[in-house]
Amino acid sequence: MATIELETKSEVLRRIDVSEKVAGKLRYTTDMIEVEALYVKVVRSAMPHAMIESIDISQAKETPGVIRVITSHDVPGENLIGFFTRDQPLLAEDRVRFIGEAVALVVAENPVSAMTAVNSVKISYKPLPAILDIDSALSPDAIKIHEDGNIKESFVIKKGNVESAFEKSDIVIEGRYSFPYQEHAYLETEACLAMPTEGGITVIGSMQVPFAVERAVRTVLGNAVNKVRVIQAPTGGGFGGKEDAPDEVCAHAALAAYLTGRPALLAYNRKESIIFHPKRHPGYIKRKLGATRDGILTALSETIMLDGGAYMSLTPRVIFQSVATATGPYLIPNVDIEGKGVYTNKVPCGAFRGFGKPQSQFAAELQMDELAKELKMDPLELRLKNLIKEGSELPWGQRLGDGIGILQCAIRVKEMAEWEEKRQKYGVVDSKGIARGIGLALAMHGTSIGPLGIDVGSAIIELDENGKIVVKNSLTEYGQGIYTGWIEIVSRALNVDKGLIEVIYPDTSIMYDSGPTVASRSTAVGGRAIYEAAINFKSAILKAASQMIGVKPHRLSLEGDSIKSIENPNNRLSLKDIASMARKNGQTIKGEAWVNMNQGSYWDREKGRGVPWKSYSFAAHVAEVEVDINSGKVNVVNYYAVHDSGKILKRSLAESQVYGGVVQGLGYALMEDLHFKDGKLLSNSFLDYMIPTFADTPNIYVDFIETYNEDGPFGAKGLGEVPIEPVAPAIANAIYNAIGKPIRAFPFTSERVFSALQGD
Amino acid sequence: MKPFQYLSPIQEFEYLKPRTLDEALSIVSKFNGVAKVIAGGTDLTIALKELLVKPQAVVDINGLKEIRYIRDDGGIIRIGALTTFDEIYRSGLINKYARCLAQAAYNVGTWQIRNLATLGGNIANASPAADGATPLISLDAHVHIKSINNERDVPIIDMFLGPKKSALNSNELITEVYFKKDELANCGWARIGRRNANTISVVNVAVNISLADGKYRAARIGLGSVGPTPLYAKKASEYLIGKEASSATISQAAKIAMDESNPISDIRGTKIYRLSMVKYLTEKLLNNLTYGGIN
Ligand SMILES: Cc1cc2nc3c(=O)[nH]c(=O)nc-3n(C[C@H](O)[C@H](O)[C@H](O)COP(=O)(O)OP(=O)(O)OC[C@H]3O[C@@H](n4cnc5c(N)ncnc54)[C@H](O)[C@@H]3O)c2cc1C
């Protein structure tokens, strides 16, 4: 692939979407009701686990303003949804499995009528025992939440012989590590507007994966409709939470629109959003790590247990990634790793930035520091002794190629943070009762989806009537700034003005399925498809211009806003002229491309071997904390993050991904968690679900190590997720350094740290 | 084009905006319990949206300039009920004579909230966690209350009857909060929250002391979030008075304050943690106020 001069210095970048957003002009789903839309409200289960004996909608139907009350009987197609496995009823039939599960829909002229009717639907339940944690789900006499039992999915990776390796190890550290829920807390809650069309339904909504929504709507409407068109509205945040949740939201809205023949809007308030959409998996890890006296890792045995909630959502893939990153970026000759996802009667857990890795890397990285302490060795030195490098063999048999920047990341972050100096100084309590600490964590992250899923990307680039270059790709922008990045790629590939390039919001009726916008793949996969489509577009436009100008294509050059003859630059046509001539000729000028990231990757489940990802991103983070030992309050003061995500296309966009990931990770580490009582979610508003404010945000220093990735556009690898992954363990290790003991469960709330200091 | 309706139900009610206090008092009296007063609206709007209150009328008192002031009335500091936390925290008078109140005001919510939220609303809302309450308790403040044909003065601590239950009658308005100006006194406020800004206090404590010849001439300790209402730590306060300042005395007073509080465990914190934090914050504030230093 061509290399083009890259911009590496920090520059002030204007994102193309920013002025509309700042001015409040961008129209989100709920701003789009130009039509007389009906309001849809969901009637939800009040029981964590119960059989439904009856649903009485008679009074709700009579509520003034109510147009229709919908139950599972009204679903024309299959009453099932689910991202990979369709295991969740669109509307509950005879059984509910968590508080908040959809049982019926009310469609009304206005929200007040809808709310009133929701409260007058009478559901009579026969309660079943509710399973509210992992261990009760696994107990032999536990009630089965689904027919095939309470284990959703499990993965295993084995190598060598751990038993004998532990026997030969000089030191073995063993522990149980646990981690909380995390809520995505995106700015925009879920929303979808569905409109009946001639023989079909058009759906506009806040989402990450338009083609998944299309499949969900088709499934539930079945043969009742011919055409399903899904358009992504400007979307205010996703972080993985809008990977599968919009399937349900849009299917509900589409069902309401289909049954009433009128446009229908379903939009959640914050409470509904928190109660309903899939979260980051909580759970625990039991981990045993062996090493020699010199600090060479010998064996790892690990069991990962994730609480997946009531339905499958994306649990299988999440578990896979937890298992696949269980070692951390270290060489361990003997491993025995198993991960399980378990059903419980709580909100389902699914995709969330990091996707199973923040959990396993917390355990791995904290345990590394525990080992370092035992060995009386610097934690960084211990890591460097065991670090993977070019040519290393990963536990699943994959041999690493080039572009392994983890060592440079670690060395760079050590300099930036003044690691050695501070490590010597910290760990003492000052006269005000403040203990300072500094901690380190590394992370490793496979680029894109991997062999368990279809990992292809596509793009169409065409010249429209007005001479604009239109980019079509079904990957979604939901706050990352990817359109700005793509425009950069197209403008560099074509050497045209950025102002002439336009990216359109995904619309399933005019684009190919580029796969889900997840797994840090928008630049690495989407960007590469766009780059290749741009190259094809270039030949197409040069060929068309060649006829118009009368000069051979290879004697023409595309530059700025026009195409000109290399020999005679006055012989030129603007893109605008080319567009109007093409229009008269009845010609289309476009380039298309598909890229297949599955090529060369595979996974053998039985043996636990394969090539799950072709390239890996890396990170080395250092956190510096102050712990008030009288209250347990932790303040993160400084934070250093160095990343290898291949070539960086836009430094400022990349930096902002890191800032965002660090702050989201800081919330996860220090304050975020969901509290339940008898299966009922208590922390269902921002009054009680704390996320960090600016006052909680440290100084964040970012740098990049730029390796080159063969498969990405201009050498790029994924960056979206990895910044969140080392944060909780880096903070955990800094607290460990400050107070002298490890805390194996987070979030590190003041109270948790305080009780650790008290000795329990 | 249909105007967008918010997705939570918006209640319908009559909206009234009186221009004088008398007019406001006669309106609330006329509605006889079915009207709700709105000041900053930072508590009331949430209650309206969640259908926790269903008033027939909402009476907007933001036009009543006459109850929005901070003044030094010869020995007494008076704060109009409609004064916002932003105004309180910026006030030179408050920073000089009631620093604990300025500190608390600065920590209420966010800039946006502080621009709206009023001291009167904070008291009337009667949350056990109200950050405005503990400083006023430590300052021994009184609340001036008016109705159309009556007025009364109530010690701040008697305003709070239970969680979200105040001593106000439905025909009454808070017009003023006042306390004695004490040149020798020194007060401070501190809290434990779940993050560094915009968070409900897990525990908040205000301490006001004055020292003469190394002895506590006066002392008042207010505790928040550790009982059904904001509390006055009477025993701890009285224990200090007349005693020689020493770290043993301070430590003992903090322990008494802890014993006087009666917190519950909830998702914001356990009872045990709250008790420990009452002791810690009280001790820290007493130390800082007694021996100088920052808090
Ligand atoms: C995001 C957010 C953060 C917050 N953070 C904090 C915090 O850190 N600390 C804290 O203590 N509080 C906090 N609050 C709560 C709230 O802001 C305060 O309690 C505030 O002082 C309420 O004042 P208001 O003027 O907005 O009251 P309103 O909402 O207008 O009224 C509250 C109640 O008082 C009554 N009322 C108001 N004025 C009078 C009067 N003069 N006479 C009689 N009755 C009256 C109203 O009828 C109503 O019942 C927060 C609220 C929000 C939304």
Side-chain angles (χ1 to χ4, degrees):
Chain A
M1 189 169 296
T3 28
I4 290 181
E5 177 131 352
L6 296 165
E7 175 186 34
T8 43
K9 59 184 184 309
S10 204
E11 95 270 41
V12 179
L13 170 91
R14 200 180 176 118
R15 271 174 58 165
I16 57 150
D17 51 339
V18 103
S19 41
E20 271 188 306
K21 282 180 178 166
V22 172
K25 284 190 185 148
L26 190 65
R27 288 149 52 88
Y28 293 87
T29 305
T30 51
D31 303 321
M32 289 187 184
I33 318 174
E34 288 171 357
V35 278
E36 290 276 319
L38 298 173
Y39 289 80
V40 186
K41 278 263 165 198
V42 183
V43 182
R44 296 179 184 282
S45 163
M47 302 290 273
H49 200 188
M51 299 305 291
I52 296 180
E53 293 187 317
S54 65
I55 304 171
D56 176 5
I57 59 169
S58 52
Q59 199 189 329
K61 270 192 342 203
E62 299 310 314
T63 310
V66 168
I67 304 290
R68 176 132 191 183
V69 181
I70 300 168
T71 63
S72 63
H73 304 294
D74 302 309
V75 177
E78 255 185 283
N79 184 36
L80 281 175
I81 48 165
F83 203 77
F84 297 125
T85 312
R86 292 206 190 100
D87 69 335
Q88 179 171 356
L90 181 69
L91 293 169
E93 290 167 26
D94 54 356
R95 186 171 179 178
V96 287
R97 293 181 176 85
F98 73 98
I99 294 181
E101 179 166 355
V103 179
L105 301 173
V106 170
V107 193
E109 295 282 2
N110 62 71
V112 180
S113 301
M115 267 302 269
T116 315
V118 161
N119 293 329
S120 62
V121 170
K122 293 189 196 79
I123 306 170
S124 86
Y125 300 100
K126 188 166 151 263
L128 297 171
I131 294 189
L132 302 174
D133 59 60
I134 293 173
D135 292 343
S136 6
L138 295 177
S139 128
D141 48 352
I143 184 170
K144 287 182 179 171
I145 297 174
H146 289 271
E147 257 171 38
D148 44 358
N150 292 339
I151 295 183
K152 285 182 168 192
E153 180 73 282
S154 64
F155 279 99
V156 177
I157 293 176
K158 272 191 191 337
K159 185 184 165 190
N161 184 340
V162 288
E163 289 317 317
S164 67
F166 278 127
E167 266 164 39
K168 284 180 227 143
S169 301
D170 298 321
I171 288 175
V172 174
I173 307 269
E174 206 169 345
R176 183 183 187 275
Y177 301 82
S178 61
F179 32 84
Y181 279 96
Q182 193 177 16
E183 146 69 27
H184 303 78
Y186 22 67
L187 277 176
E188 186 204 20
T189 53
E190 296 77 4
C192 183
L193 174 65
M195 292 175 292
T197 56
E198 209 39 57
I201 292 277
T202 294
V203 158
I204 301 177
S206 179
M207 62 184 75
Q208 284 179 238
V209 194
F211 279 94
V213 169
E214 189 190 289
R215 285 189 283 271
V217 172
R218 276 190 202 289
T219 307
V220 303
L221 294 185
N223 295 329
V225 295
N226 286 321
K227 284 175 281 183
V228 174
R229 177 180 177 195
V230 177
I231 300 167
Q232 186 219 3
T235 296
F239 309 115
K242 288 177 185 160
E243 187 166 347
D244 64 344
D247 292 6
E248 179 176 333
V249 178
C250 293
H252 281 155
L255 181 63
Y258 165 73
L259 291 172
T260 59
R262 291 174 60 181
L265 173 78
L266 175 54
Y268 287 168
N269 61 32
R270 185 61 63 182
K271 216 164 240 171
E272 290 172 290
S273 174
I274 296 180
I275 287 172
F276 142 89
H277 75 245
K279 306 285 180 272
R280 186 188 305 288
H281 293 71
Y284 62 82
I285 288 174
K286 288 185 177 156
R287 199 171 200 274
K288 188 173 165 189
L289 182 66
T292 65
R293 202 158 289 119
D294 312 329
I296 303 298
L297 300 178
T298 51
L300 168 69
S301 108
E302 176 159 345
T303 311
I304 302 169
M305 302 298 286
L306 299 187
D307 179 345
Y311 292 99
M312 190 65 90
S313 183
L314 284 101
T315 295
R317 303 285 172 84
V318 172
I319 271 284
F320 176 71
Q321 301 220 8
S322 290
V323 169
T325 48
T327 56
Y330 312 110
L331 291 169
I332 309 179
N334 302 286
V335 304
D336 185 350
I337 306 160
E338 179 173 24
K340 286 198 177 98
V342 171
Y343 284 118
T344 57
N345 293 115
K346 290 181 295 182
V347 61
C349 290
F352 197 139
R353 189 181 205 175
F355 212 75
K357 293 180 285 288
Q359 293 94 324
S360 60
Q361 294 187 4
F362 166 68
E365 291 296 302
L366 177 53
Q367 201 168 46
M368 283 299 269
D369 272 39
E370 293 176 36
L371 176 63
K373 179 138 186 180
E374 201 61 39
L375 291 164
K376 301 190 173 59
M377 191 180 275
D378 178 85
L380 180 60
E381 190 192 333
L382 173 66
R383 284 173 172 79
L384 296 187
K385 279 189 173 201
N386 293 283
L387 209 57
I388 55 164
K389 51 179 186 286
E390 282 154 15
S392 294
E393 192 191 295
L394 296 174
W396 43 84
Q398 174 182 8
R399 222 163 249 298
L400 288 174
D402 296 346
I404 310 299
I406 181 73
L407 177 63
Q408 292 107 295
C409 287
I411 289 170
R412 178 79 189 106
V413 84
K414 171 181 138 184
E415 293 162 5
M416 275 167 77
E418 295 164 352
W419 169 263
E420 279 160 352
E421 218 180 301
K422 288 175 183 165
R423 192 80 195 175
Q424 298 241 313
K425 233 172 33 189
Y426 292 175
V428 286
V429 183
D430 73 9
S431 62
K432 293 198 186 95
I434 302 294
R436 286 181 153 246
I438 185 164
L440 168 96
L442 308 184
M444 162 177 185
H445 183 112
T447 298
S448 201
I449 295 177
L452 295 185
I454 298 175
D455 198 357
V456 296
S458 68
I460 303 171
I461 295 184
E462 59 196 14
L463 194 67
D464 80 358
E465 267 182 52
N466 306 311
K468 284 235 168 198
I469 297 166
V470 178
V471 179
K472 295 176 181 171
N473 183 322
S474 75
L475 294 180
T476 48
E477 158 66 38
Y478 44 89
Q480 326 88 307
I482 57 172
Y483 288 2
T484 308
W486 288 351
I487 287 175
E488 188 70 26
I489 290 172
V490 176
S491 119
R492 287 190 208 174
L494 297 179
N495 192 25
V496 294
D497 297 342
K498 286 183 204 166
L500 291 175
I501 306 163
E502 196 180 341
V503 186
I504 346 193
Y505 269 87
D507 176 341
T508 59
S509 69
I510 56 164
M511 292 175 193
Y512 304 126
D513 185 354
S514 208
T517 309
V518 301
S520 316
R521 65 195 289 275
S522 318
T523 301
V525 181
R528 173 149 165 229
I530 283 171
Y531 174 77
E532 291 185 4
I535 299 299
N536 294 337
F537 172 83
K538 189 170 178 179
S539 353
I541 196 169
L542 289 179
K543 198 166 147 208
S546 150
Q547 283 157 6
M548 297 168 186
I549 302 180
V551 173
K552 289 250 160 53
H554 69 276
R555 304 312 305 156
L556 288 173
S557 93
L558 176 55
E559 205 182 307
D561 64 353
S562 52
I563 290 181
K564 54 189 169 218
S565 151
I566 294 170
E567 276 75 29
N568 177 9
N570 287 333
N571 191 3
R572 61 189 289 161
L573 279 176
S574 69
L575 294 187
K576 211 171 163 163
D577 297 336
I578 295 172
S580 61
M581 287 166 83
R583 166 98 183 95
K584 282 183 210 131
N585 299 343
Q587 237 177 327
T588 50
I589 297 175
K590 78 171 171 185
E592 294 183 2
W594 283 91
V595 295
N596 182 353
M597 295 293 280
N598 286 128
Q599 246 163 32
S601 81
Y602 73 97
W603 187 255
D604 180 336
R605 279 193 69 132
E606 297 297 305
K607 298 207 185 91
R609 293 180 77 76
V611 178
W613 295 280
K614 286 189 290 179
S615 66
Y616 295 86
S617 301
F618 299 96
H621 285 195
V622 167
E624 244 184 283
V625 301
E626 287 177 0
V627 182
D628 177 348
I629 58 150
N630 291 302
S631 68
K633 175 86 179 75
V634 176
N635 263 323
V636 181
V637 211
N638 289 311
Y639 200 94
Y640 308 88
V642 181
H643 283 253
D644 164 19
S645 282
K647 287 286 172 201
I648 297 302
L649 299 184
K650 266 282 168 199
R651 172 105 187 184
S652 44
L653 275 181
E655 280 171 357
S656 60
Q657 278 296 328
V658 179
Y659 295 141
V662 169
V663 175
Q664 202 166 30
L666 179 126
Y668 182 49
L670 294 185
M671 61 188 82
E672 300 186 33
D673 197 1
L674 295 179
H675 297 268
F676 290 83
K677 184 162 192 276
D678 305 325
K680 191 172 182 301
L681 208 172
L682 301 176
S683 5
N684 58 12
S685 78
F686 288 149
L687 191 66
D688 283 314
Y689 189 83
M690 295 279 103
I691 54 174
T693 68
F694 269 111
D696 303 285
T697 305
N699 303 315
I700 304 173
Y701 305 93
V702 178
D703 205 358
F704 295 96
I705 299 295
E706 299 194 42
T707 57
Y708 188 84
N709 170 33
E710 295 286 309
D711 292 316
F714 312 118
K717 301 191 274 204
L719 175 64
E721 294 171 276
V722 68
I724 201 175
E725 292 164 18
V727 185
I731 292 174
N733 287 334
I735 296 172
Y736 183 9
N737 179 228
I739 68 171
K741 49 172 128 174
I743 308 179
R744 288 169 168 172
F746 66 103
F748 303 111
T749 58
S750 307
E751 177 156 3
R752 188 187 301 275
V753 176
F754 180 77
S755 40
L757 282 158
Q758 305 297 300
D760 38 272
Chain B
M1 178 165 154
K2 185 167 163 178
F4 175 65
Q5 301 191 31
Y6 187 67
L7 303 156
S8 294
I10 294 283
Q11 300 189 47
E12 284 188 19
F13 43 72
E14 203 175 330
Y15 170 81
L16 297 155
K17 188 166 185 184
R19 261 163 303 150
T20 64
L21 183 57
D22 287 342
E23 202 187 326
L25 291 172
S26 78
I27 292 173
V28 291
S29 151
K30 197 184 78 196
F31 275 92
N32 196 18
V34 295
K36 267 287 174 192
V37 167
I38 190 164
T42 58
D43 281 317
L44 189 73
T45 316
I46 296 170
L48 284 171
K49 274 192 183 168
E50 300 201 338
L51 310 184
L52 298 175
V53 290
K54 296 177 178 172
Q56 276 173 29
V58 169
V59 186
D60 182 349
I61 58 171
N62 283 289
L64 312 185
K65 299 258 155 39
E66 64 206 276
I67 56 167
R68 186 168 184 168
Y69 52 80
I70 299 173
R71 61 175 179 250
D72 182 347
D73 189 10
I76 293 183
I77 305 287
R78 300 185 184 277
I79 308 173
L82 207 56
T83 309
T84 66
F85 281 115
D86 183 67
E87 290 159 345
I88 289 172
Y89 127 81
R90 286 172 197 282
S91 154
L93 266 185
I94 300 296
N95 277 280
K96 187 157 177 214
Y97 296 108
R99 202 162 63 93
C100 52
L101 183 58
Q103 289 168 327
Y106 182 68
N107 280 283
V108 168
T110 60
W111 294 107
Q112 295 90 329
I113 294 293
R114 293 192 287 275
N115 281 336
L116 290 169
T118 64
L119 188 60
N122 198 246
I123 297 168
N125 190 55
S127 157
D131 286 310
T134 40
L136 294 176
I137 291 170
S138 78
L139 292 161
D140 199 11
H142 282 65
V143 179
H144 191 65
I145 294 171
K146 272 192 175 166
S147 65
I148 186 133
N149 41 29
N150 201 0
E151 56 189 292
R152 55 187 181 126
D153 290 275
V154 179
I156 181 75
I157 193 66
D158 295 339
M159 287 301 293
F160 309 117
L161 305 182
K164 302 256 166 173
K165 219 168 152 254
S166 83
L168 277 179
N169 296 316
S170 63
N171 64 341
E172 290 178 322
L173 288 182
I174 300 176
T175 59
E176 186 182 274
V177 180
Y178 63 90
F179 50 86
K180 277 210 202 86
K181 188 167 109 183
D182 183 347
E183 302 280 356
L184 298 174
N186 197 358
C187 74
W189 175 92
R191 72 141 71 147
I192 299 287
R194 287 178 300 158
R195 63 182 172 202
N196 292 343
N198 198 20
T199 184
I200 297 180
S201 291
V202 176
V203 172
N204 64 39
V205 177
V207 172
N208 187 17
I209 55 163
S210 69
L211 284 160
D213 305 325
K215 291 202 175 99
Y216 293 104
R217 191 180 59 115
R220 287 183 71 87
I221 301 169
L223 309 173
S225 272
V226 287
T229 64
L231 304 177
Y232 166 46
K234 188 164 186 278
K235 288 184 196 146
S237 306
E238 287 173 355
Y239 168 82
L240 284 168
I241 295 169
K243 290 229 166 42
E244 198 89 35
S246 75
S247 42
T249 307
I250 287 175
S251 199
Q252 182 59 20
K255 197 185 161 299
I256 299 173
M258 178 176 85
D259 294 340
E260 278 181 272
S261 49
N262 182 24
I264 52 164
S265 289
D266 62 17
I267 62 175
R268 290 167 202 150
T270 61
K271 177 179 175 128
I272 266 190
Y273 183 65
R274 287 188 155 115
L275 288 172
S276 312
M277 290 306 104
V278 168
K279 179 158 184 295
Y280 165 53
L281 293 181
T282 308
E283 192 165 347
K284 175 170 147 178
L285 286 167
L286 278 169
N287 268 318
N288 288 339
L289 296 168
T290 306
Y291 300 113
I294 3 134
N295 60 62

